[in-house]
Amino acid sequence: MKYCTELFCHLAGMLLAGLLASCAAHATGSETPVQRYLYQKDGVQIEITAPRADVMRVRVGREHLPEDSSWAVPPNARAPKGTLGVAESGSASVIDSGTLVVRVDHNSLAVTVMDRNGRDLLAGAAGQELRFDGAGFRLRLAMPLDAHYFGLGDKTGPLDRRDGSFTLWNTDHFAYGPASDPLYKSIPFFLGANEKGEAFGFFLDNHWRTNFDFGKAERDTLVVSAEGGPVDYYVMAGPTPRDVVMQYAALTGAPPLAPLWALGFQQSHWSYMSQTEVEGIADRLRADRIPADVLYTDIDYQDRNRPFTINTKAFPDFAGMVAKLRAQGLHLVMITDLHVAKAPDQGYAPYDSGSAADIFVKNRDGSVFSGPVWPGPAVFPDFSRAVARQWWGEQYRDFVKMGVGGFWNDMNEPSVFKVRSKTMPLNVVHRIEEPGFVTRNASHAEMHNVYGMLNSQATYEGLLRLAPDQRPFVLTRASYAGGQRYAATWTGDNLSRWDHLKLSVSMLVNMGLSGFAYIGDDIGGFAGEHPSPELLTRWIEIGAFNPIFRDHYSYGKPAQEVWVDGVEQEAIRRHYIEERYRLMPYIYGLAEESSRSGLPMMRPVFLEYPQVLGDSDDFGGTQDQFMLGPDLLVAPSPTPESQARYDIKLPGEGWFDYWTGRRVEGSKLAETPSLARLPVYVRPGAIIPKQPLVQSTSEPPQGPLTLAVYPGADCRGSLYLDDGVSFGYARGNYLRQGFSCQQSGAELIVSIAARQGSYRPWWSQLNLEVHGMNGKEIAEFKGKRLATRFDKESGSLIIELPDMAGAASVKIRL
């Protein structure tokens, strides 16, 4: 075992804000502007760069720096930007980006990252900070008493990662439990925040098997270790949690704007076994008037479970089925696992063409690796080769021609049956042939955690080549940091249990913080016993406020569609699905915002209200809550299986009950659970666009667009619209409009900003629905009194207006 005894040694105490002034006062020379800081001692090299002023990158190598390449961070995002000021202070260098400061000690080679106020963001723990161990390393960092940690992807456990230890190794973990680890994705990014709400981010760009220990093994010490790969990490300045999430997205990419239909209700099962069954599910959805946009086919639509085939006996007219579904406003999403059946001389085109192109993963002796999966013996495309990804994308050509809506990449950890590791042998050989990388062979130990992401990249880019003006929809089970650029994801093979319903919130919220805006779980639970009627109903209620809303269940379980369990349960479930479709303008606006900023659609409360981090009582009672965008707060019971009353704490006062429309008193509420009611609250100051009910997103709404106005401080809202399927928005064919309100004395003014973009709206009338009114208000537009009506039940004043493309204001005399 080899130790670097001087590198990153103990830093005594916390560095104060005065350090920066002291460094400048005692500098031995003037500050030197550089793009790249390099320091070398005893065979160890350190490089500091700033891809952005608010992000510092640190690379450390023995003898030489690691290769400057990344599957997660594109070259333009990781390249140094601007200049760094470097000043020498005694035996240390101080590197200043203008937002962040890095101090490198020349004797110990210890590295500390601070903000401009001298607050330590990343500092070493007591004892050795960095230890090299063979091909791997172990980094020990100080963990302040008031620090909380979030992220790492779809890990189980509570929202806060503190006191937990997590392994990043993509694993097919069927029927995982609340303490299971590892799972399907490896996202080596966390967001740290203190009780003041001050945040920073840390991303280790290393896709080998890694571990993050947040004080479980060593109290108050954060240990990051890897079995191999580079010491290459980024520190993000924040200072708010929102800032950190956007800084991470600037590095690894924001998710592309999904097709609108992907945000609708989705129904799936392993497996609908025939064309008749699929069409029957579609007919029942429409007969029961349950809004829906997506149906899935699992592996049994295939011939002998072979990807890119169709079982023509069970599905005699697959293309006709796809067309019938589209006529009903339903898009088909098909599973396409990456294990290609090893079927030589059998007329199986994917195997034959892949063998001819020599694109499958190899054993060390040069033979093609084969492992058992659903079709039996199978071979695996080597997605680390661009030519293999292009070959994979071409396999979708016939399905795209049929009009299939999207594709589901499952089993791509990769999962291999009948072996203890559940995956390929670690010495299987991949070939890296990729621009920006050194061309070389790599072991599966190195490539395992990026394999699923590269599979989804191959699917996404292949669909773009086949249909260049159609937004792809790809759903992946396994991924790595940056995988949000190619696919939506879900939490894998969960169980039909109450604790998994509760677990879904923390898992989805942390996935959102980890870059994936399009996230969901298997509503009702995938495996295990059939969910009770109450469990399925409550899960659908919460799922209606998740980004991806998919009811999916396993082979051999009783039916789990919306209509099971009788008409009363179906009516409640339908109500929540309908409400999601009424909220679609708001939800689609969140998706578009995410495509620009990287902010998640489903958020922890602290992302909008960092002050809750200072409340030791489960972050002010918000640990089991979540927000859909900035304006809706969802507050399920912390014990969802119980009928016991529970307290709801809201961040501040003046909130509105979403269902009644009325303002609630105070910030602490007592909720008595009711099967038909999921507590949802609206931020005071929110303006939420809503539409008339439709049965699918392909159906134009009939009636006015409603702007639900909830007066309060920072009163604002926005609307985004386009055709929902193409890239026309990039050519200006979109609609964007902002709204605001301001109260002064006895007047409330609702302002509508001028519209941007050339897309024509579906509405010709605009309804303002102003909440918190008493019915005595007078509304005026351009000095003329407007007709109004008052809804006594919701306490809302409703004002009907013609559609307004230009700037306008409505004055309401209170």
Side-chain angles (χ1 to χ4, degrees):
M1 186 176 292
K2 180 179 179 183
Y3 294 89
C4 183
T5 56
E6 292 185 313
L7 182 60
F8 293 103
C9 292
H10 170 55
L11 296 173
M14 300 292 285
L15 294 170
L16 302 175
L19 173 66
L20 301 180
S22 175
C23 289
H26 295 87
T28 59
S30 61
E31 187 175 89
T32 304
V34 299
Q35 269 205 326
R36 191 184 308 266
Y37 169 84
L38 291 169
Y39 190 78
Q40 180 173 339
K41 181 181 178 182
D42 298 334
V44 175
Q45 295 192 37
I46 299 175
E47 178 193 70
I48 311 290
T49 57
R52 296 162 47 108
D54 52 9
V55 176
M56 284 289 206
R57 182 187 186 190
V58 179
R59 294 201 299 153
V60 183
R62 291 174 290 184
E63 306 304 332
H64 56 80
L65 291 171
E67 177 185 344
D68 187 5
S69 60
S70 174
W71 299 105
V73 185
N76 64 332
R78 67 177 187 269
K81 308 289 194 309
T83 57
L84 300 171
V86 179
E88 303 302 322
S89 175
S91 60
S93 295
V94 178
I95 304 100
D96 188 344
S97 73
T99 302
L100 286 171
V101 177
V102 177
R103 184 180 186 276
V104 178
D105 188 284
H106 295 167
N107 295 321
S108 66
L109 300 184
V111 173
T112 303
V113 184
M114 301 165 282
D115 67 14
R116 292 291 297 169
N117 297 317
R119 177 174 65 101
D120 280 350
L121 303 182
L122 209 67
Q128 288 178 323
E129 183 181 297
L130 181 68
R131 180 179 73 184
F132 285 113
D133 181 5
F137 62 87
R138 187 169 182 265
L139 178 65
R140 298 175 68 253
L141 301 166
M143 198 168 70
L145 291 174
D146 68 343
H148 305 283
Y149 301 93
F150 312 92
L152 294 189
D154 62 344
K155 297 298 185 182
T156 57
L159 181 63
D160 190 352
R161 302 303 190 200
R162 189 173 184 121
D163 299 328
S165 180
F166 305 91
T167 297
L168 274 62
W169 182 252
N170 292 359
T171 302
D172 178 0
H173 202 137
F174 175 78
Y176 58 85
S180 296
D181 188 69
L183 294 184
Y184 308 94
K185 284 167 279 291
S186 298
I187 317 292
F189 162 78
F190 68 77
L191 183 155
N194 63 22
E195 293 181 354
K196 297 178 182 178
E198 299 168 329
F200 78 99
F202 176 90
F203 171 49
L204 175 69
D205 196 359
N206 182 318
H207 52 271
W208 289 68
R209 186 185 183 104
T210 56
N211 184 266
F212 286 71
D213 188 305
F214 297 92
K216 185 174 183 179
E218 298 182 65
R219 181 179 297 179
D220 301 329
T221 302
L222 196 167
V223 181
V224 180
S225 59
E227 292 184 350
V231 180
D232 185 353
Y233 62 84
Y234 299 80
V235 181
M236 286 138 263
T240 71
R242 283 173 62 96
D243 293 328
V244 171
V245 172
M246 290 189 287
Q247 289 155 1
Y248 175 69
L251 289 175
T252 62
L257 182 58
L260 176 61
W261 56 262
L263 301 175
F265 178 64
Q266 306 183 6
Q267 181 62 55
S268 181
H269 171 42
W270 177 34
S271 270
Y272 296 127
M273 300 297 293
S274 68
Q275 181 172 337
T276 300
E277 189 174 6
V278 171
E279 292 177 350
I281 295 293
D283 291 343
R284 181 66 185 269
L285 286 166
R286 292 298 173 242
D288 284 18
R289 297 197 62 76
I290 298 169
D293 271 85
V294 183
L295 281 181
Y296 282 73
T297 50
D298 211 313
I299 59 174
D300 294 292
Y301 78 85
Q302 301 168 134
D303 176 21
R304 290 166 287 176
N305 293 333
R306 295 179 175 184
F308 303 107
T309 65
I310 293 173
N311 178 350
T312 55
K313 292 183 179 179
F315 294 83
D317 184 11
F318 202 89
M321 180 188 74
V322 173
K324 180 180 177 181
L325 294 177
R326 292 294 289 268
Q328 294 174 293
L330 293 165
H331 293 77
L332 184 70
V333 174
M334 302 168 62
I335 200 168
T336 50
D337 292 339
L338 49 68
H339 40 256
V340 174
K342 185 179 181 181
D345 304 319
Q346 297 180 36
Y348 177 44
Y351 178 80
D352 292 342
S353 64
S355 295
D358 190 27
I359 57 86
F360 297 127
V361 171
K362 304 287 183 62
N363 292 307
R364 292 184 67 183
D365 63 5
S367 62
V368 172
F369 168 76
S370 174
V373 205
W374 293 121
V379 293
F380 299 78
D382 189 354
F383 293 114
S384 56
R385 300 173 61 197
V387 66
R389 297 200 301 274
Q390 187 167 359
W391 170 88
W392 174 264
E394 183 62 24
Q395 305 309 304
Y396 291 96
R397 181 173 295 276
D398 290 343
F399 292 150
V400 170
K401 284 183 178 179
M402 288 181 191
V404 173
F407 298 93
W408 171 19
N409 295 153
D410 200 5
M411 307 293 289
N412 56 353
E413 291 71 32
S415 180
V416 177
F417 295 165
K418 300 180 182 179
V419 291
R420 186 175 182 181
S421 69
K422 301 182 180 181
T423 194
M424 298 179 185
L426 299 186
N427 63 358
V428 162
V429 179
H430 299 255
R431 182 70 175 169
I432 298 177
E433 294 176 354
E434 180 77 5
F437 288 75
V438 174
T439 299
R440 59 182 174 88
N441 290 339
S443 69
H444 189 66
E446 176 181 351
M447 299 305 297
H448 176 86
N449 279 345
V450 294
Y451 190 76
M453 181 182 81
L454 295 177
N455 171 217
S456 61
Q457 178 185 356
T459 305
Y460 182 87
E461 292 177 347
L463 297 177
L464 276 180
R465 286 192 298 270
L466 293 170
D469 201 31
Q470 180 175 307
R471 295 179 222 169
F473 176 73
V474 181
L475 183 69
T476 187
R477 190 168 74 177
S479 199
Y480 177 68
Q484 68 271 9
R485 302 192 299 263
Y486 313 114
T489 193
W490 86 109
T491 61
D493 296 339
N494 60 358
L495 290 167
S496 296
R497 297 190 332 207
W498 287 102
D499 59 344
H500 275 246
L501 171 59
K502 176 182 172 68
L503 182 63
S504 70
V505 171
S506 62
M507 291 183 73
L508 293 177
V509 163
N510 272 309
M511 276 301 302
L513 292 175
S514 303
F516 283 83
Y518 302 113
I519 46 174
D521 61 347
D522 288 342
I523 300 294
F526 176 73
E529 297 181 0
H530 184 259
S532 68
E534 293 78 13
L535 175 57
L536 181 55
T537 295
R538 290 204 182 277
W539 215 319
I540 288 174
E541 291 173 359
I542 291 176
F545 296 91
N546 294 165
I548 298 294
F549 185 18
R550 184 177 78 144
D551 179 343
H552 178 55
Y553 62 104
S554 181
Y555 182 84
K557 291 179 70 176
Q560 202 165 294
E561 285 76 22
V562 178
W563 49 80
V564 303
D565 304 319
V567 295
E568 292 185 7
Q569 298 287 348
E570 181 182 8
I572 298 171
R573 298 165 185 172
R574 182 193 298 109
H575 168 69
Y576 278 83
I577 296 171
E578 289 177 341
E579 198 60 35
R580 180 183 182 89
Y581 278 77
R582 292 189 178 97
L583 273 171
M584 196 59 71
Y586 175 73
I587 295 171
Y588 193 51
L590 297 178
E592 193 276 334
E593 176 193 45
S594 181
S595 73
R596 291 181 288 108
S597 69
L599 288 171
M601 300 166 67
M602 183 176 175
R603 308 171 181 180
V605 176
F606 73 75
L607 199 68
E608 299 295 333
Y609 299 93
Q611 68 269 20
V612 304
L613 292 168
D615 192 325
S616 60
D617 184 17
D618 292 333
F619 308 140
T622 68
Q623 180 165 274
D624 297 299
Q625 302 172 359
F626 66 92
M627 298 193 73
L628 183 61
D631 296 329
L632 296 180
L633 187 151
V634 182
S637 171
T639 54
E641 73 280 12
S642 172
Q643 296 301 308
R645 287 169 62 88
Y646 66 98
D647 290 336
I648 296 173
K649 290 182 70 175
L650 300 173
E653 299 191 353
W655 289 71
F656 292 79
D657 186 305
Y658 177 78
W659 303 112
T660 68
R662 290 194 170 274
R663 198 184 296 270
V664 299
E665 297 295 329
S667 61
K668 187 174 182 179
L669 312 173
E671 179 73 23
T672 301
S674 166
L675 183 60
R677 174 181 163 83
L678 171 67
V680 181
Y681 300 94
V682 185
R683 175 184 71 87
I687 300 179
I688 297 178
K690 301 178 71 173
Q691 69 180 29
L693 179 63
V694 294
Q695 292 301 298
S696 81
T697 59
S698 61
E699 176 187 333
Q702 302 297 313
L705 174 76
T706 296
L707 297 179
V709 180
Y710 300 86
D714 190 22
C715 184
R716 54 186 165 80
S718 63
L719 174 69
Y720 177 84
L721 186 67
D722 57 31
D723 64 21
V725 293
S726 79
F727 291 96
Y729 64 87
R731 301 184 291 270
N733 192 24
Y734 65 86
L735 183 156
R736 189 190 307 279
Q737 200 161 22
F739 315 100
S740 63
C741 77
Q742 186 172 10
Q743 185 170 344
S744 177
E747 285 187 350
L748 176 70
I749 298 176
V750 179
S751 298
I752 301 171
R755 187 174 295 161
Q756 303 173 26
S758 61
Y759 190 77
R760 296 180 61 113
W762 48 261
W763 63 89
S764 60
Q765 181 180 315
L766 190 66
N767 280 4
L768 297 183
E769 187 178 275
V770 186
H771 291 265
M773 302 291 104
N774 58 27
K776 299 179 182 179
E777 296 83 5
I778 297 172
E780 296 178 349
F781 177 59
K782 294 183 178 180
K784 295 183 179 180
R785 184 167 177 171
L786 296 170
T788 61
R789 55 190 174 89
F790 180 68
D791 186 321
K792 187 175 181 181
E793 184 176 348
S794 65
S796 60
L797 186 73
I798 299 169
I799 308 165
E800 297 181 359
L801 298 166
D803 178 44
M804 296 184 180
S809 294
V810 174
K811 182 184 296 184
I812 302 171
R813 299 187 184 277
L814 305 176

